[in-house]
Amino acid sequence: QGRDFSFDDCGRAFTCLPVEEPSAPAEALTCNLDSLLATMTRRLCVGSPPGLWVCSTDMLLAMPAAPGITWENFRGVRVIAVPGSQAYARSHGVYVADGQGLVNNIIYKGTEAQIKQCACPDGTVPLVCGVVFFAADAAEQLLATHVVPPLDACTYMGLDSGAPPIQLSLFFDIVLSMASGVTEEEFVQGAGDASTRRARSVLWAALRAFPLSMACIPHGSYDYLSTAASDHIRSLMLPPCSSSHLRFCKIAHSHVDQPQLIEDGSSVTNCLLEGAVRLAAGSVVQHCHLQGPLEIGPGCLISGLTTASSVALRSCLLHDVVLQGHHVRLRDLPCRVFTLTGRLDDWQSPAEEATYLNMPWTEFFHQTGIQEGDVWDVETPRGSRCLLRARLFPVLHAAEALGLEDVLWLLAPAPGQLQRWRTAWRMSWEELLPCLDRAAELGARRALFFQQGQRKVRRVLLERQDSSLLPFTRSAVHEGYHEALLHTLDEVASTANDASVAARALACVADVLGCMARGEGGLRSGPAANKEWASAFGRLESGDIAGGVRELAAEREKWMSRPALLLRAARHYEGAGQILIRQAVMSSCQFVTVESVELPPLGCWVRATCPARLDLSGGWSDTPPITYEHGGAVVDVAVLVDGQWPLGARVRRIGAPELRLASVSRTPRGRVELVCRELEHLRDYCQPHAPGALLKAAFICTQVVQFPSPKPLQAQLLESFGGGFEVHTWSQLPHGSGLGTSSILAGAVMAALYRAAGKAANTDSLIHAVLHLEQRLTTGGGWQDQVGGLVPGIKIGRSKAQLPLRVEVEEITVPQGFVQTLNEHLLLVYTGKTRLARNLLQDVVRNWYARLPTAVHNTSALVGTAEECARALRQGDLPLLGECLNRYWQQKKCMAPGCEPLAVGRLMAALQPHVYGQCLAGAGGGGFLYVLTKAPRQKEALLQILAKTEGVGNFSIHSVEVDTGGLSVEIEGSDPE
């Protein structure tokens, strides 16, 4: 579906397409023309034998993705045709074929009767569309003729040997020789001159033996590119009857202030239209920067105008005209020239038979006062006096600068304009064509494209649109416009007065820097704590977004010299974005309500135990910033593993003014014990891998300890509680299990700590408190884990696309007895693989901020699957629930490619015949696989199946039960210190 091709001096096509694929936004494509031809031939030749494709270029050809051409036992030559109307065929070529698809003849501009004989049952006729396939043996015979006189004159070898040049038609001199209904005498004698007749004789002898067949592509379409303005305007808009899978986009690659003024049936491509610019149906505007108020009537093609032309346009209502601005170079002098013609004008017909500005030349002369001698030399024969050779267009003036008004007056003559026009140096189209400065024209179009693109960047970010800016970013970097784009992103981030908008703008800066590295410099993901960026980060942490963005930009300039530095800078911009995400998520603190309760006695333990959780659908939609920019929904179930609560914490007050922290887990560290006596010992609370980081963060987030504070830790503890605290935590789940361990454990610690400190928080408050803690901890998690493990039973959590972030939980009521059924059909398979969600999180957030179409679509699909999963549970429908689990796993893999290790894939393949559905818990990459078996109580059966399966690694199978209690907090007795 090529539209408006231009070529720079490297032969690359800079393509603007006013169409878009259903699965992707309409973005600028900078592509090689060869790739477009390759796409076409890939569709046509699926299953074809080796051979030669020949294609003429004066056409538009649309075809379905699968044309359905049969190539079995094919030999000879095949022409490709598309169905067309009989009326259209009157001006074009038509194939005459028999019932077996063999071509008898080719009719060009045939009579009504001739064309009617070619009609198919649906009334259409097979149009000649310019594509021909020669099988290998036929191609060899054709190519062998290039050394045979007079055909050698078609090549440079023959021309360099002194042979007079000869011009041949692909269809009437080559293809027609193989048509079964044409005799040798008709074919040879039909040529116009002796040399062509000799050439046809050679071609007849070489190709006549090959069968010529036709393949007509159903639902295909064809459009011949003529020089008529009406045809050109029509070709720039997808015909209403087109069956193409592409969707016409009337505003493409353009910024339009008032898009409601662009009528349906018009087209705007690569334009910047400011103010009230009204465009009527049937008109096309390309490569223009205009300022309203303006009105362009129907049937116009406006191209290459700048803001300086807007004033002149306001005085003239255009309709049925072609108005263009051109970059012209007269030797070393660059200048701008404007041309004006009518939509219905014919370029080459003699003036007596033709029109200018859609009126007879005589009427035009009478209306303007222009005379024939003004536009054509006296010596020019009357038959050669045509629009192409008419010197109508002012180029230079000795005393005054020329502008658009110097051609617009031809539509509405005004006093003084005729004399000014006559004293200007004017040129005809024929004279202008060799002087057109194509490099300058492409440069201006490219500059306008990025100028309107910067407006689009502002609009998309400030209006929070789900359009992807990554294709534009890549184009800007490729074409050297990255500095202007970076400036625009800095401006948006610093002036938006919105942390979520600024965070996305900073992520876009990171994308620009990543593209500038051009695939070199190492991994995109990595640490972002270099001290050179600390000052800028500090400003962002303090809430000074504008100041932080300025310091980031200043520091960025030092990191632009090579790919490795660019990627490190990109990581720090993503780190800066995480600061703003944390600030946005911590707005959920307002939903944390704590009440005072009786302070437990000194030494008395407060114990909190929790189940694990299984995410049945919707995970990733709870992840910031997705959860507050799109909205999320996750179905969770609280579960006991092998009959036990796997997670817990206990807290007590102690007499010593210190914090004693101990944790036991199935991690490489195993058991961790430490004592904090000073605030400095808590400083690494925001480093997730630091010993006791989660427990330190819990003391700070519950405000048991104030950090930072001028008051020492021991003084705080003695003043508020008469001593310190001792905290023990435990987890019986392996590291990276995918069962929500860290978030649920954080909820248990905070619940016990609140109670030990004489406070209490309900489950809803704890859900939001854990969100706050994980942002302070910088792990950046979502809310599904704590919803799954703190709230009992089966439920669906939801968040709206808004800030402050609030999570609402709805219990899912299931049929009586269904919980027991679920217990009998659910099993956990430990894969033996571990992977932290944080390793996947950076990629997911990056793709979301880039608004990759797959990420946006998949996020909506995740939320939809969660709602369907909730319906399956309410209905007690195990097969439907299994279907949701399978779909959920595919959605997880789409969200985080690479989250299915090879061994896990083999394990799931072995289990597939025996389960309704299966999915890796959490982010994927390893940990636990949960399966919904078709038959109840299948633990032993699955053990036997997997024992016989090669390449699944070390695994174990565990039973699970739906937990109906959720978080449990109890006050126990005291132990001796």
Side-chain angles (χ1 to χ4, degrees):
Q1 285 286 342
R3 295 287 192 273
D4 188 25
F5 279 90
S6 300
F7 299 88
D8 64 15
D9 53 5
C10 297
R12 186 178 65 249
F14 186 85
T15 315
C16 286
L17 308 176
V19 292
E20 60 181 54
E21 295 277 0
S23 60
E27 296 294 347
L29 306 175
T30 302
C31 59
N32 191 297
L33 181 60
D34 290 344
S35 69
L36 298 176
L37 296 175
T39 299
M40 182 180 73
T41 52
R42 271 199 305 273
R43 292 183 179 183
L44 289 171
C45 67
V46 173
S48 71
L52 171 70
W53 283 97
V54 181
C55 176
S56 66
T57 57
D58 55 346
M59 62 168 185
L60 297 175
L61 176 63
M63 68 181 75
I69 300 175
T70 301
W71 294 99
E72 188 176 357
N73 300 323
F74 173 78
R75 62 177 295 268
V77 177
R78 174 163 287 168
V79 292
I80 306 300
V82 294
S85 68
Q86 295 184 35
Y88 186 80
R90 291 289 301 274
S91 302
H92 300 279
V94 178
Y95 291 116
V96 181
D98 62 19
Q100 284 71 46
L102 294 176
V103 177
N104 294 328
N105 205 341
I106 303 173
I107 298 174
Y108 181 65
K109 293 186 176 180
T111 65
E112 184 176 347
Q114 288 176 314
I115 293 172
K116 194 171 184 178
Q117 290 178 347
C118 307
C120 301
D122 62 358
T124 62
V125 293
L127 295 175
V128 176
C129 73
V131 183
V132 184
F133 177 72
F134 290 79
D137 51 352
E140 289 174 1
Q141 283 290 96
L142 173 64
L143 296 175
T145 63
H146 84 280
V147 296
V148 179
L151 293 174
D152 61 344
C154 295
T155 71
Y156 75 88
M157 295 291 288
L159 294 176
D160 290 352
S161 300
I166 182 173
Q167 180 176 339
L168 295 180
S169 162
L170 170 63
F171 294 98
F172 295 107
D173 293 321
I174 297 177
V175 173
L176 192 61
S177 68
M178 295 169 280
S180 60
V182 177
T183 66
E184 181 176 6
E185 182 179 359
E186 290 172 338
F187 176 67
V188 174
Q189 297 304 318
D193 55 66
S195 62
T196 307
R197 286 195 290 272
R198 289 196 300 274
R200 286 193 173 191
S201 294
V202 174
L203 291 168
W204 180 276
L207 301 175
R208 183 61 182 179
F210 295 105
L212 178 64
S213 60
M214 178 191 74
C216 190
I217 301 174
H219 309 300
S221 63
Y222 163 82
D223 211 356
Y224 179 75
L225 297 181
S226 71
T227 59
S230 296
D231 291 344
H232 185 61
I233 292 172
R234 181 169 50 84
S235 75
L236 295 174
M237 294 182 286
L238 209 62
C241 61
S242 172
S243 57
S244 171
H245 68 293
L246 299 172
R247 179 170 66 86
F248 180 72
C249 185
K250 67 178 179 181
I251 301 175
H253 323 296
S254 300
H255 174 85
V256 180
D257 279 351
Q258 299 186 36
Q260 72 276 11
L261 299 181
I262 308 301
E263 295 185 8
D264 292 339
S266 60
S267 175
V268 178
T269 304
N270 194 37
C271 288
L272 183 51
L273 306 184
E274 300 173 312
V277 179
R278 183 179 296 276
L279 183 63
S283 286
V284 174
V285 179
Q286 294 185 318
H287 318 300
C288 289
H289 183 179
L290 301 176
Q291 292 177 332
L294 285 175
E295 184 170 353
I296 298 171
C300 295
L301 171 62
I302 313 297
S303 178
L305 302 187
T306 64
T307 50
S309 303
S310 299
V311 175
L313 282 174
R314 289 174 196 148
S315 62
C316 187
L317 177 60
L318 304 178
H319 60 87
D320 293 318
V321 296
V322 177
L323 178 59
Q324 297 173 281
H326 308 277
H327 288 268
V328 172
R329 181 169 288 275
L330 305 173
R331 294 192 178 179
D332 295 328
L333 178 65
C335 59
R336 291 275 289 160
V337 176
F338 299 95
T339 60
L340 177 68
T341 57
R343 180 177 64 85
L344 304 176
D345 295 344
D346 186 286
W347 286 95
Q348 294 181 312
S349 296
E352 289 85 353
E353 307 168 11
T355 62
Y356 177 57
L357 297 179
N358 308 313
M359 67 181 83
W361 279 96
T362 53
E363 183 179 338
F364 168 74
F365 291 145
H366 176 75
Q367 182 173 300
T368 60
I370 294 174
Q371 300 176 3
E372 279 195 58
D374 292 326
V375 294
W376 296 294
D377 293 333
V378 177
E379 298 83 11
T380 304
R382 300 203 66 82
S384 299
R385 296 185 179 185
C386 60
L387 176 56
L388 187 64
R389 297 185 176 90
R391 293 194 182 98
L392 288 162
F393 312 118
V395 176
L396 292 173
H397 194 281
E400 302 175 76
L402 297 175
L404 183 62
E405 60 275 10
D406 291 293
V407 293
L408 286 180
W409 80 273
L410 300 173
L411 290 170
Q417 288 286 1
L418 176 59
Q419 184 59 30
R420 177 182 166 93
W421 178 85
R422 279 181 169 151
T423 56
W425 178 29
R426 304 182 311 280
M427 298 176 73
S428 67
W429 245 116
E430 189 174 60
E431 293 166 333
L432 275 173
L433 282 172
C435 302
L436 295 180
D437 190 340
R438 291 173 177 80
E441 182 63 37
L442 281 175
R445 292 184 181 190
R446 188 179 288 113
L448 180 59
F449 173 77
F450 288 109
Q451 189 179 0
Q452 63 82 22
Q454 287 170 250
R455 300 288 186 94
K456 175 185 177 180
V457 167
R458 290 191 187 94
R459 183 179 71 249
V460 167
L461 294 177
L462 294 174
E463 295 179 6
R464 299 175 177 81
Q465 296 178 6
D466 281 339
S467 300
S468 176
L469 296 176
L470 192 56
F472 178 76
T473 297
R474 290 170 176 156
S475 293
V477 171
H478 181 74
E479 300 287 349
Y481 282 82
H482 52 274
E483 288 292 347
L485 179 55
L486 287 171
H487 176 75
T488 298
L489 293 170
D490 290 341
E491 183 184 357
V492 171
S494 60
T495 60
N497 295 319
D498 187 300
S500 62
V501 171
R504 185 179 175 189
L506 295 180
C508 290
V509 171
D511 283 337
V512 174
L513 299 174
C515 289
M516 290 175 66
R518 301 183 187 276
E520 301 177 10
L523 297 175
R524 174 75 182 270
S525 298
N530 189 290
K531 64 180 182 180
E532 300 297 328
W533 300 82
S535 176
F537 282 13
R539 282 188 175 272
L540 295 177
E541 293 278 13
S542 69
D544 182 7
I545 295 179
V549 171
R550 282 195 301 272
E551 287 203 21
L552 287 171
E555 184 62 32
R556 180 179 71 213
E557 292 302 313
K558 308 171 187 176
W559 297 68
M560 305 280 279
S561 59
R562 62 181 188 271
L565 292 179
L566 284 164
L567 284 186
R568 290 168 65 191
R571 293 179 202 137
H572 283 81
Y573 262 92
E574 289 181 342
Q578 285 296 326
I579 293 173
L580 299 182
I581 292 174
R582 287 201 295 274
Q583 293 177 346
V585 174
M586 285 193 288
S587 64
S588 62
C589 284
Q590 61 188 272
F591 304 117
V592 178
T593 303
V594 179
E595 59 182 13
S596 296
V597 294
E598 182 182 357
L599 189 69
L602 194 71
C604 189
W605 288 102
V606 177
R607 181 186 182 92
T609 55
C610 293
R613 72 94 184 91
L614 294 180
D615 55 315
L616 301 185
S617 282
W620 285 121
S621 72
D622 67 305
T623 304
I626 298 172
T627 191
Y628 61 76
E629 291 186 350
H630 177 278
V634 183
V635 175
D636 280 309
V637 56
V639 293
L640 306 181
V641 180
D642 292 328
Q644 297 183 341
W645 287 274
L647 304 166
R650 62 178 189 162
V651 181
R652 68 173 178 175
R653 289 191 301 118
I654 57 177
E658 61 188 22
L659 305 179
R660 299 176 187 172
L661 311 179
S663 63
V664 179
S665 62
R666 292 172 60 184
T667 67
R669 285 192 180 133
R671 183 179 182 90
V672 175
E673 295 185 5
L674 64 155
V675 178
C676 302
R677 296 186 176 91
E678 301 175 6
L679 285 178
E680 186 62 29
H681 295 160
L682 301 179
R683 187 168 298 280
D684 59 356
Y685 79 94
C686 57
Q687 299 174 20
H689 300 295
L694 186 148
L695 303 183
K696 296 174 184 178
F699 275 99
I700 294 170
C701 291
T702 56
Q703 298 184 346
V704 171
V705 173
Q706 300 297 321
F707 181 91
S709 171
K711 187 177 292 187
L713 176 62
Q714 293 186 354
Q716 289 188 44
L717 294 173
L718 288 171
E719 181 179 310
S720 300
F721 304 103
F725 289 86
E726 183 174 354
V727 181
H728 293 181
T729 65
W730 62 90
S731 169
Q732 298 172 4
L733 298 173
H735 185 56
S737 67
L739 300 184
T741 305
S742 59
S743 300
I744 299 172
L745 192 59
V749 171
M750 296 184 84
L753 189 53
Y754 271 132
R755 188 65 188 86
K759 302 175 183 178
N762 61 25
T763 304
D764 184 66
S765 293
L766 285 173
I767 289 170
H768 294 90
V770 172
L771 261 176
H772 176 226
L773 180 145
E774 291 195 323
Q775 294 305 316
R776 296 290 294 270
L777 191 61
T778 72
T779 52
W783 46 256
Q784 63 146 313
D785 295 344
Q786 57 264 39
V787 168
L790 302 182
V791 180
I794 307 170
K795 58 270 171 181
I796 180 170
R798 298 184 181 91
S799 63
K800 296 178 181 178
Q802 63 184 35
L803 287 174
L805 173 59
R806 182 165 194 172
V807 183
E808 297 174 322
V809 183
E810 175 193 346
E811 178 187 354
I812 296 176
T813 304
V814 299
Q816 187 174 3
F818 183 71
V819 169
Q820 181 58 34
T821 300
L822 208 55
N823 291 340
E824 294 176 349
H825 288 261
L826 263 179
L827 288 172
L828 278 179
V829 181
Y830 184 61
T831 64
K833 306 288 182 182
T834 60
R835 182 170 184 177
L836 286 179
R838 185 177 174 86
N839 294 341
L840 300 172
L841 180 62
Q842 283 179 307
D843 288 339
V844 171
V845 172
R846 183 180 303 134
N847 293 341
W848 171 254
Y849 269 143
R851 292 302 195 274
L852 297 185
T854 52
V856 174
H857 173 78
N858 197 52
T859 300
S860 297
L862 282 165
V863 173
T865 300
E867 298 293 348
E868 186 173 353
C869 180
R871 287 194 294 273
L873 289 163
R874 292 187 190 100
Q875 297 166 9
D877 190 334
L878 283 182
L880 180 57
L881 177 60
E883 185 181 318
C884 290
L885 299 185
N886 289 331
R887 192 186 316 149
Y888 180 34
W889 178 234
Q890 296 306 315
Q891 291 164 351
K892 281 187 179 182
K893 290 194 291 183
C894 178
M895 207 69 174
C899 66
E900 182 180 280
L902 188 60
V904 173
R906 295 194 189 102
L907 189 150
M908 296 179 78
L911 295 178
Q912 192 273 328
H914 310 281
V915 300
Y916 285 125
Q918 54 188 329
C919 182
L920 276 179
F928 280 100
L929 170 75
Y930 57 91
V931 299
L932 186 67
T933 61
K934 293 180 178 177
R937 298 176 293 279
Q938 290 294 293
K939 181 176 179 179
E940 294 303 322
L942 295 191
L943 277 171
Q944 295 177 17
I945 291 168
L946 294 180
K948 300 174 183 177
T949 304
E950 295 183 0
V952 297
N954 298 321
F955 65 89
S956 57
I957 299 183
H958 306 262
S959 62
V960 291
E961 302 172 39
V962 177
D963 175 64
T964 56
L967 170 67
S968 171
V969 181
E970 301 173 341
I971 298 179
E972 301 177 335
S974 59
D975 295 334
E977 287 197 34

